[in-house]
Amino acid sequence: MELRVRRAPRIDLEITVPGDKSISHRAVIIAALSNGVCTLQGFLPSEDCMHTVNAMRALGIKIEQPEPTTLIVHGKKRVLTAPKNEINCGNSGTTMRLLAGLLAGQPFETRLVADAGLSRRPMDRVIAPLCEMGADIIAEGPDQTAPLRVHGGSLRGIHYRPSVASAQVKGALLLAGLFARGKTTIEEALPTRNHMEKMLNYFLVRTATEEAGSVTVFGEQVPESRDFAIPGDISSAAFWLVAAAAQRRGHLLIRDVGLNDTRTALLGVLLRMGAQVREAVEDVDQLEPRGIVEVTGFPLKGTVIQGKEVPRLIDELPILSVAGALANGRTIIRQAGELRVKETDRIAAIAHNLRTMGAQVAELNDGLEISGPAPLHGAHLASFGDHRIAMAFAIGGLFAEGETVVQDAECIRESYPGFEMMLEEFTNPKRMQVSTPVIGSLTSAAPEQG
Ligand code: S3P
């Protein structure tokens, strides 16, 4: 599939985005471990999340899907059964790493397989701590990569300081910790998204968090079954927020989107770059804050993104790089070496595609230096099989002279089914739906400096 994009007319829209990917994975897993039936609404029916659903089914959990965004999960009080076949995680790193944690505590062996892209991504980051807890995990690929043979067993809690800032590692260890004797503590140098902690708490599992950045789960607990509504994904919203922010007088309102502050650093960056940004949390009843974000576009200026901001916008760096190319001055992204081990080497992919569109970019070991504003021109661009690269450059096309073609864009389905239709809303003025400004009643996003 190809995406063909032309310059956007004036943006003035009110939209919603599909459910949060990270929260969808976690909700299915915790609901499956609970002591009863849980209805999950707002579930993201993307390829990645369906890999997690199918994995839990293969482990003996009944999951109904009466409509694409609703799941009814029949929790079996932490009892899982050995799968008949290997479990395919596709291209979903979250599925593979969270499952490794979950399976580490099960009394059977499971083989986790992945597609070619995921089979190249590092798994030692979960294998090492899970083995320290007592699991036996064999990586069949070179350099500790998938397929993984997880031979679960009786686990003991550990105190672990991950060497990479990764919510997938933290999530895997918290799941393993649920099945371990004693307590499991993860001490993070830089805080990552805290959805697993929140989800465990919502399902009444006892955890303890400390200001300094550590989280502890107490072992051998059964989550209490509950219904849960998943908010819209701020990482999906990011593409449209940047489009509106980069267009002078562009205006966008997104409703019912997740506003967990471990995920919203993008808003602070856009504010720093000169856009007007407002956010209002409307609901925190289910522990995950959700509400409205509103952006008005102004001429953007370059910024520096580094340090503790990086894990809080790691998935937004491709689209923020596009914003950097449109901004006046230099945008510097540092300490983001993790981008090299995402669905593709995102640093190389961003640099390649931005240059192809006419931007000036220097590739750094751990980031990028982008000099703007570039008069972007349409081009044929590769997705590198990476959904966020494909979407970021489709947005780039909204600001380019002539036509932009993003090739091999089917990977978008991994995280954002419906992206193409929304892109159509942004490019076809006839279908434009004018939004009512609500600025004034909302509070300003706080800029966060790295
Ligand atoms: C995710 C964590 C991040 C993120 C990924 C989803 C999660 O990965 O990039 O899209 O749901 O835990 P890392 O934990 O590897 O940084």
Side-chain angles (χ1 to χ4, degrees):
M1 173 183 116
E2 280 181 350
L3 283 180
R4 290 180 176 269
V5 195
R6 289 193 167 272
R7 192 182 287 283
R10 172 140 186 268
I11 297 168
D12 189 8
L13 284 168
E14 183 175 321
I15 65 169
T16 55
V17 289
D20 188 281
K21 179 159 84 77
S22 293
I23 300 178
S24 292
H25 285 290
R26 287 157 171 81
V28 174
I29 295 173
I30 308 286
L33 299 177
S34 79
N35 60 358
V37 179
C38 309
T39 301
L40 306 178
Q41 250 137 14
F43 171 76
L44 173 68
S46 74
E47 285 176 3
D48 275 13
C49 295
M50 289 312 294
H51 280 298
T52 295
V53 169
N54 289 330
M56 296 315 294
R57 285 177 173 149
L59 292 165
I61 302 297
K62 181 175 164 194
I63 304 178
E64 299 163 88
Q65 195 168 16
E67 45 191 287
T69 59
T70 304
L71 295 183
I72 302 170
V73 182
H74 297 253
K76 274 185 28 188
K77 275 196 191 164
R78 307 189 353 156
V79 177
L80 301 175
T81 46
K84 292 195 178 66
N85 301 307
E86 58 194 21
I87 290 180
N88 183 4
C89 303
N91 196 28
S92 176
T94 312
T95 304
M96 179 161 273
R97 295 189 180 119
L98 293 184
L99 282 184
L102 175 66
L103 295 168
Q106 309 309 317
F108 50 79
E109 186 178 284
T110 313
R111 187 164 181 263
L112 298 176
V113 299
D115 74 1
L118 179 54
S119 297
R120 284 191 289 270
R121 296 179 62 190
M123 292 297 150
D124 45 343
R125 53 184 64 193
V126 286
I127 295 173
L130 291 172
C131 289
E132 201 179 316
M133 291 177 80
D136 178 13
I137 304 181
I138 313 255
E140 295 176 11
D143 301 323
Q144 300 277 293
T145 52
L148 301 185
R149 206 173 268 285
V150 185
H151 187 82
S154 109
L155 303 181
R156 56 186 170 275
I158 57 169
H159 186 121
Y160 194 71
R161 292 186 188 86
S163 56
V164 283
S166 166
Q168 294 177 356
V169 171
K170 176 173 63 178
L173 298 187
L174 287 171
L175 286 173
L178 204 55
F179 288 86
R181 271 172 287 117
K183 57 182 188 173
T184 300
T185 300
I186 299 102
E187 196 179 322
E188 294 190 295
L190 296 177
T192 62
R193 62 192 71 190
N194 61 6
H195 302 304
M196 187 64 93
E197 297 89 303
K198 284 196 184 286
M199 191 66 64
L200 288 169
N201 289 344
Y202 178 72
F203 281 82
L204 306 184
V205 171
R206 197 158 73 92
T207 65
T209 44
E210 274 179 27
E211 279 285 299
S214 75
V215 54
T216 298
V217 65
F218 300 87
E220 302 173 301
Q221 300 182 72
V222 179
E224 186 71 30
S225 68
R226 304 191 70 183
D227 296 339
F228 185 76
I230 294 152
D233 196 325
I234 187 80
S235 297
S236 298
F239 300 104
W240 316 118
L241 291 170
V242 166
Q247 188 187 71
R248 191 190 287 259
R249 290 188 297 118
H251 175 248
L252 181 67
L253 185 71
I254 306 191
R255 292 196 187 273
D256 203 25
V257 63
L259 291 173
N260 179 320
D261 64 5
T262 61
R263 293 285 298 285
T264 52
L266 160 89
L267 302 180
V269 172
L270 290 180
L271 197 66
R272 216 155 70 213
M273 293 179 85
Q276 192 171 23
V277 183
R278 301 281 193 270
E279 62 174 306
V281 172
E282 294 185 308
D283 184 359
V284 278
D285 286 356
Q286 297 190 329
L287 302 188
E288 283 288 354
R290 56 204 292 160
I292 300 176
V293 178
E294 181 176 45
V295 165
T296 305
F298 281 89
L300 298 182
K301 51 183 188 292
T303 190
V304 179
I305 300 171
Q306 61 186 358
K308 71 176 184 343
E309 212 167 42
V310 171
R312 299 153 85 103
L313 45 62
I314 189 75
D315 290 340
E316 286 66 78
L317 288 171
I319 187 60
L320 278 170
S321 302
V322 172
L326 298 168
N328 206 341
R330 272 191 314 171
T331 293
I332 301 171
I333 298 169
R334 298 301 311 245
Q335 297 165 323
E338 270 296 296
L339 290 183
R340 294 213 182 264
V341 290
K342 292 292 178 189
E343 282 79 336
T344 187
D345 175 344
R346 286 186 177 160
I347 294 178
I350 292 167
H352 182 274
N353 279 356
L354 279 182
R355 279 188 199 125
T356 311
M357 295 185 90
Q360 256 191 51
V361 190
E363 195 180 315
L364 314 173
N365 277 342
D366 64 348
L368 293 149
E369 195 170 311
I370 304 158
S371 305
L376 297 182
H377 55 75
H380 277 68
L381 301 172
S383 70
F384 298 89
D386 183 321
H387 53 129
R388 296 202 200 277
I389 296 294
M391 291 187 277
F393 284 91
I395 301 298
L398 296 177
F399 293 87
E401 194 59 48
E403 190 184 51
T404 299
V405 181
V406 181
Q407 293 158 331
D408 301 322
E410 55 286 338
C411 49
I412 288 173
R413 293 185 207 126
E414 287 167 18
S415 70
Y416 198 156
F419 176 85
E420 245 182 299
M421 268 157 60
M422 187 57 77
L423 190 63
E424 182 65 22
E425 294 280 337
F426 278 70
T427 49
N428 185 348
K430 289 192 289 300
R431 300 179 56 202
M432 283 269 187
Q433 172 199 348
V434 176
S435 63
T436 328
V438 294
I439 284 181
S441 58
L442 306 181
T443 52
S444 235
E448 176 102 32
Q449 199 78 46

